[in-house]
Amino acid sequence: LPTSKVRIKRKGVQPIPPRKEVLTKDDYIEWQISYQDKESGKPIELGELIRLAHEMKYITRDELCEIIKKYGDGSIKPFDKLFSIMRKGTQHKVYHDFTVIWEETPILRYDLSDGCYIEVALKHKQKAVGYQSMVYIYIPIQNVIARRPLVGRTAEEKEVVIWKPSKEHILGLIKAFLVASEDHQRDVKKLIGKITGHPCT
Ligand code: ADE
């Protein structure tokens, strides 16, 4: 759905309307994945994946705590504090009496072994000063299970596909949130503590 946190992007960059355009092998599902419900704080999406993976002993508490020790112990300056959005441009009028300015946005990219990748991008905060880190996972459409292969056709209305995340995806996303900002780091650490029964020391 256009209003959801999932979009289709060609080469992972250009958003396309999947019910109007024939999909190709260069198309990715972009998912702005959440980890907990804003109101209740209950694990959703990545949070639910962590909960299930821990419950099924697919990911151990030690593995989760090891990542927190490495990326979430306060020794790393968060991405949104270390980087900024830069502007550079021409002094002379190059477009109908206007000068042109380019904005450069820093993006962290974390490649996974199966063609998926995670990005952390910087945005200006909407209703405050400072920057906000956005976390996305990009999934090649060829990596999902559909009733009929997606490549070579348009998507159907409200079409549902299946994606099977591995340990690499889950741990990579945790890492991304830990470095993204102080708030995300605090939230994710608290959430993992709640899921595993006790916080990592
Ligand atoms: N808050 C919850 N999920 C988020 C995401 N994927 N990116 C940025 N902030 C978030």
Side-chain angles (χ1 to χ4, degrees):
L1 297 172
T3 53
S4 77
K5 294 183 304 164
V6 173
R7 293 193 290 183
I8 305 293
K9 284 189 163 180
R10 188 140 296 165
K11 298 184 198 298
V13 178
Q14 179 69 35
I16 59 150
R19 293 209 297 125
K20 294 205 178 80
E21 287 221 28
V22 174
L23 301 173
T24 74
K25 59 173 178 39
D26 294 326
D27 294 340
Y28 290 79
I29 293 170
E30 176 203 64
W31 183 8
Q32 193 192 323
I33 191 167
S34 302
Y35 48 86
Q36 64 188 0
D37 179 73
K38 264 207 174 76
E39 264 96 66
S40 65
K42 116 179 151 47
I44 59 165
E45 302 185 348
L46 176 62
E48 201 169 12
L49 290 174
I50 300 167
R51 183 183 65 72
L52 284 166
H54 178 259
E55 196 173 291
M56 298 162 90
K57 303 189 195 313
Y58 178 58
I59 297 175
T60 64
R61 182 174 170 274
D62 282 354
E63 286 175 297
L64 296 169
C65 289
E66 197 183 319
I67 296 181
I68 290 175
K69 200 166 98 189
K70 204 160 161 198
Y71 301 93
D73 70 343
S75 65
I76 292 173
K77 185 155 178 158
F79 178 60
D80 66 331
K81 291 289 177 342
L82 193 57
F83 290 84
S84 50
I85 296 170
M86 310 252 266
R87 284 186 163 200
K88 58 180 182 194
T90 49
Q91 307 306 331
H92 45 280
K93 310 271 186 291
V94 294
Y95 182 81
H96 305 286
D97 305 337
F98 293 83
T99 59
V100 178
I101 297 156
W102 282 268
E103 221 169 52
E104 272 187 2
T105 303
I107 298 169
L108 300 178
R109 180 173 163 140
Y110 187 83
D111 284 298
L112 301 161
S113 60
D114 65 346
C116 290
Y117 59 92
I118 296 161
E119 282 189 359
V120 187
L122 216 54
K123 302 264 159 75
H124 287 288
K125 274 190 182 161
Q126 285 202 330
K127 291 176 189 168
V129 292
Y131 296 112
Q132 174 176 13
S133 292
M134 308 302 294
V135 176
Y136 305 92
I137 182 158
Y138 292 85
I139 304 160
I141 61 164
Q142 293 178 105
N143 290 34
V144 302
I145 302 159
R147 288 200 175 87
R148 296 181 289 130
L150 287 169
V151 173
R153 66 170 174 93
T154 57
E156 283 164 25
E157 189 179 354
K158 294 177 184 165
E159 181 164 354
V160 174
V161 297
I162 296 167
W163 177 56
K164 299 185 176 180
S166 72
K167 188 182 281 202
E168 195 192 18
H169 303 102
I170 298 169
L171 298 183
L173 283 164
I174 294 172
K175 240 184 255 189
F177 279 110
L178 287 174
V179 303
S181 75
E182 213 172 67
D183 284 2
H184 287 315
Q185 175 169 138
R186 189 204 52 225
D187 287 350
V188 165
K189 280 159 71 177
K190 210 157 109 188
L191 187 71
I192 288 172
K194 225 165 62 176
I195 287 167
T196 61
H198 43 283
C200 306
T201 47

